Amino acid sequence: MTVPSATGLPPRVRIHEVGARDGLQNEKTAVPTEVKAEFIHRLAAAGLTTVEATSFVHPKWVPQLADAEQLFPLLSDVPAELPVLVPNERGLDRALALGATRIAVFGSATETFAARNLNRTVAESLAMFEPVVARAKAAGAHVRGYLSMCFGDPWEGAVPVPQVVRTAKALLDLGCDELSLGDTIGVATPGHVQALLGELNAAGVATGRIGVHFHDTYGQALSNTLAALQHGVTTVDASAGGLGGCPYAKSATGNLATEDLVWMLDGLGIETGVDLAALTATSVWMAERLGRPSPSRTVRALSHKE
Amino acid sequence: MTVPSATGLPPRVRIHEVGARDGLQNEKTAVPTEVKAEFIHRLAAAGLTTVEATSFVHPKWVPQLADAEQLFPLLSDVPAELPVLVPNERGLDRALALGATRIAVFGSATETFAARNLNRTVAESLAMFEPVVARAKAAGAHVRGYLSMCFGDPWEGAVPVPQVVRTAKALLDLGCDELSLGDTIGVATPGHVQALLGELNAAGVATGRIGVHFHDTYGQALSNTLAALQHGVTTVDASAGGLGGCPYAKSATGNLATEDLVWMLDGLGIETGVDLAALTATSVWMAERLGRPSPSRTVRALSHKE
């Protein structure tokens, strides 16, 4: 359907698909390794060019992704970049041994979440990431730095922009190629998003190095994404079918659904390379394996019509 | 929580609450008249200043609102404007006899929907509205013109902007004080929204006379609202708790949830006068009466925490 296109927005957006990692690590249902592999193959076949595959975290902490060593070799023919999360040097060793070329570390903008999630202060976690990033870069890998709790924190409330900028800069100073700003609990609104992006620019961080990662807990993820696009952001994290959830808002949905994002980008005439029908079919297929419907409104609307 | 506010947006938005009419007319569960009256009282107590109350349509077509004559007198002490929908002169007579001071007519931007919903051509429906609007204005009433299918139509696909502008102008020329642009099937995206608003302005329609009415079928309602606010729109239709649905996408949600809207507006520092906690409590109460959870993400997140 041809509709008027928007002006002042980027012509192309790269979607960083997180369903297989951020999505599945929050799902209660155990997913067999072969199903994960097929999921990732199907996501790439639907046109996604960056598909975060798994996490080389200790199985004790994220049992859902304990099969990273078995899964990753099944993905060698996937025509997409396949970043993997690594929490520390041990995780990096495991990822590099399997040939990973894109890794990600996961930091926190707040002390409370750093303490609860990483069992460290923010400064200690940055110190832990330092050799991880340095060695990854030395091995030729691309490094993404996730920064969680960039807008609100369940214990600390609104997170001051200067505090987020400081930690974001520190992650980039370690050598991260790109940053993913996470609204982990989904409380952000568009003005806050644009304010943070503006302050990051003022601190010398180019918009091209910034990705955004919104959660839909309060239904704000897509509006916040629009605000980020209007600021010039061209990397957007999303999760196929809206997979995953936030452990701090159990009844709420989790990540921005890739399909809802693609619907908007298609309508805006912004190229993604994604085939929405193929992606929706993949999310319906995955939802069947998880035994529950997709929370994505676009998936529900399109699959109902089929 | 204090967050950076947005610039270039209106300082205040008037929410036109449609849950009691557009929401309940699409609900399968029969709602007793006294429950509707309490719902409307609670919506006004939560700070909503415009609460569309009911519809004086023939009971055969909308049995859910067949109690309009019984309901309206129960609302005499509600501290809010209480517009009512009237389909024709007979409906207007009934509304005026009960003292209604704000009425709304419901037109279509497409011939197919006009034929199916109004059993008339677009021109015939405008001819039907002409005496309704004239007599309402003569009686001192404020008149809103709903225009449905302004972006996409399930049978006709994308609706050309000039066609929408033409019908919108015709409704205003009849004497309507304001226009509500409806994305009845929820397919719009922000560029399309801004393009239509721009063309309406170019045709001489002031933004101050335009309200927007988005459905969340594809998760786009709030992004589209943001785009409209950025264009200067200050009247936004929404439905408490996301009540209602679109008959053409049964599994999908219906109207933009008022709570999701208020969350965004609060975050943007845009005044609405609405108390989000009181509104959420009202939607939870109504959801219990309807026997199903609210589809509003904000309602789910906030009520889970309570």
Side-chain angles (χ1 to χ4, degrees):
Chain A
M1 134 168 151
T2 307
V3 298
S5 67
T7 52
L9 290 172
R12 187 175 171 83
V13 158
R14 181 174 66 85
I15 298 175
H16 185 107
E17 169 59 45
V18 299
R21 197 276 302 166
D22 191 13
L24 293 185
Q25 83 172 32
N26 286 304
E27 291 290 337
K28 288 205 167 51
T29 306
V31 179
T33 307
E34 313 77 59
V35 171
K36 291 178 184 171
E38 181 170 349
F39 184 41
I40 292 167
H41 277 91
R42 289 181 68 149
L43 291 170
L48 288 156
T49 56
T50 308
V51 182
E52 197 161 300
T54 186
S55 175
F56 288 91
V57 67
H58 195 290
K60 188 170 83 176
W61 303 117
V62 186
Q64 295 92 332
L65 304 183
D67 61 352
E69 251 89 12
Q70 290 74 50
L71 172 63
F72 202 77
L74 302 179
L75 308 177
S76 57
D77 61 339
V78 174
E81 300 286 355
L82 298 170
V84 294
L85 197 66
V86 302
N88 50 32
E89 287 191 89
R90 173 75 190 105
L92 178 69
D93 290 338
R94 293 167 61 200
L96 292 179
L98 288 168
T101 58
R102 289 178 89 99
I103 68 126
V105 296
F106 190 84
S108 169
T110 67
E111 291 293 348
T112 314
F113 190 65
R116 294 195 171 227
N117 193 55
L118 306 168
N119 202 27
R120 280 167 176 76
T121 66
V122 169
E124 286 166 354
S125 65
L126 290 168
M128 175 175 71
F129 296 145
E130 187 169 10
V132 176
V133 177
R135 290 183 47 211
K137 295 299 298 173
H142 177 279
V143 181
R144 155 175 269 224
Y146 279 105
L147 190 58
S148 55
M149 303 294 174
C150 288
F151 299 93
D153 173 293
W155 304 280
E156 301 185 16
V159 182
V161 168
Q163 174 180 331
V164 180
V165 170
R166 200 161 55 236
T167 319
K169 284 276 287 178
L171 269 175
L172 290 170
D173 288 346
L174 292 182
C176 288
D177 298 288
E178 74 174 18
L179 201 64
S180 170
L181 302 175
D183 179 21
T184 316
I185 57 169
V187 297
T189 44
H192 198 165
V193 171
Q194 293 189 336
L196 175 56
L197 291 169
E199 289 302 314
L200 281 165
N201 294 158
V205 180
T207 304
R209 295 179 74 185
I210 304 173
V212 288
H213 184 112
F214 294 119
H215 281 237
D216 213 20
T217 320
Y218 296 84
Q220 309 294 310
L222 201 57
S223 310
N224 290 335
T225 300
L226 177 61
L229 297 175
Q230 289 171 334
H231 191 88
V233 167
T234 58
T235 299
V236 180
D237 297 5
S239 175
L243 275 181
C246 174
Y248 307 104
K250 286 190 171 48
S251 69
T253 58
N255 288 288
L256 171 62
T258 312
E259 289 85 354
D260 295 12
L261 171 63
V262 171
W263 184 278
M264 183 176 80
L265 296 176
D266 280 354
L268 289 166
I270 296 176
E271 202 187 326
T272 63
V274 174
D275 176 337
L276 183 57
L279 179 60
T280 299
T282 299
S283 291
V284 169
W285 170 87
M286 192 68 214
E288 285 165 359
R289 260 114 215 110
L290 292 169
R292 62 163 184 75
S294 162
S296 160
R297 294 188 166 168
T298 297
V299 169
R300 291 189 190 191
L302 290 179
S303 61
H304 182 77
K305 283 181 183 167
E306 275 163 3
Chain B
M1 132 168 153
T2 307
V3 300
S5 67
T7 52
L9 290 172
R12 186 175 172 83
V13 157
R14 182 174 65 86
I15 298 175
H16 185 108
E17 169 60 44
V18 300
R21 197 276 303 165
D22 192 12
L24 293 185
Q25 83 172 31
N26 286 302
E27 292 290 336
K28 288 205 165 53
T29 305
V31 179
T33 306
E34 313 76 59
V35 171
K36 292 177 183 172
E38 181 170 351
F39 184 42
I40 292 168
H41 276 91
R42 290 182 66 149
L43 291 170
L48 288 156
T49 55
T50 308
V51 182
E52 198 162 300
T54 187
S55 176
F56 288 90
V57 65
H58 195 288
K60 188 169 84 176
W61 303 117
V62 186
Q64 295 91 333
L65 304 183
D67 60 353
E69 250 90 14
Q70 291 72 51
L71 173 63
F72 202 77
L74 301 179
L75 308 177
S76 57
D77 59 341
V78 174
E81 299 286 355
L82 298 170
V84 294
L85 197 67
V86 301
N88 50 33
E89 287 191 89
R90 173 76 189 106
L92 178 70
D93 290 338
R94 293 168 60 203
L96 292 179
L98 288 168
T101 58
R102 291 177 88 99
I103 67 125
V105 296
F106 190 84
S108 169
T110 68
E111 291 293 348
T112 314
F113 190 65
R116 293 195 172 227
N117 193 56
L118 305 168
N119 201 29
R120 281 167 175 76
T121 66
V122 169
E124 286 165 354
S125 64
L126 290 168
M128 175 175 69
F129 297 145
E130 186 169 11
V132 176
V133 177
R135 289 184 45 214
K137 295 300 298 176
H142 177 279
V143 181
R144 156 175 267 224
Y146 279 106
L147 190 57
S148 55
M149 302 295 174
C150 287
F151 299 92
D153 173 292
W155 305 279
E156 301 183 16
V159 182
V161 169
Q163 175 180 332
V164 180
V165 171
R166 200 164 52 239
T167 320
K169 284 275 287 178
L171 270 175
L172 290 170
D173 288 347
L174 291 183
C176 289
D177 297 287
E178 75 174 17
L179 202 62
S180 170
L181 302 175
D183 179 20
T184 317
I185 58 170
V187 297
T189 44
H192 198 164
V193 171
Q194 293 189 336
L196 175 56
L197 292 169
E199 289 303 314
L200 281 166
N201 294 156
V205 180
T207 303
R209 295 179 73 184
I210 304 173
V212 289
H213 185 111
F214 294 118
H215 281 236
D216 213 21
T217 321
Y218 296 85
Q220 309 294 310
L222 201 56
S223 310
N224 290 335
T225 301
L226 177 61
L229 297 177
Q230 290 171 334
H231 191 89
V233 167
T234 58
T235 299
V236 180
D237 296 5
S239 173
L243 274 182
C246 174
Y248 307 103
K250 288 192 171 45
S251 69
T253 57
N255 288 287
L256 170 62
T258 311
E259 289 85 355
D260 296 12
L261 171 64
V262 171
W263 184 278
M264 183 175 82
L265 297 176
D266 280 354
L268 289 166
I270 295 174
E271 200 187 327
T272 62
V274 174
D275 175 337
L276 183 56
L279 179 60
T280 299
T282 299
S283 290
V284 169
W285 170 86
M286 193 68 215
E288 284 164 1
R289 260 115 214 109
L290 292 169
R292 62 162 183 76
S294 163
S296 160
R297 294 190 165 167
T298 297
V299 169
R300 290 189 191 190
L302 290 179
S303 60
H304 182 76
K305 282 180 184 167
E306 276 165 3

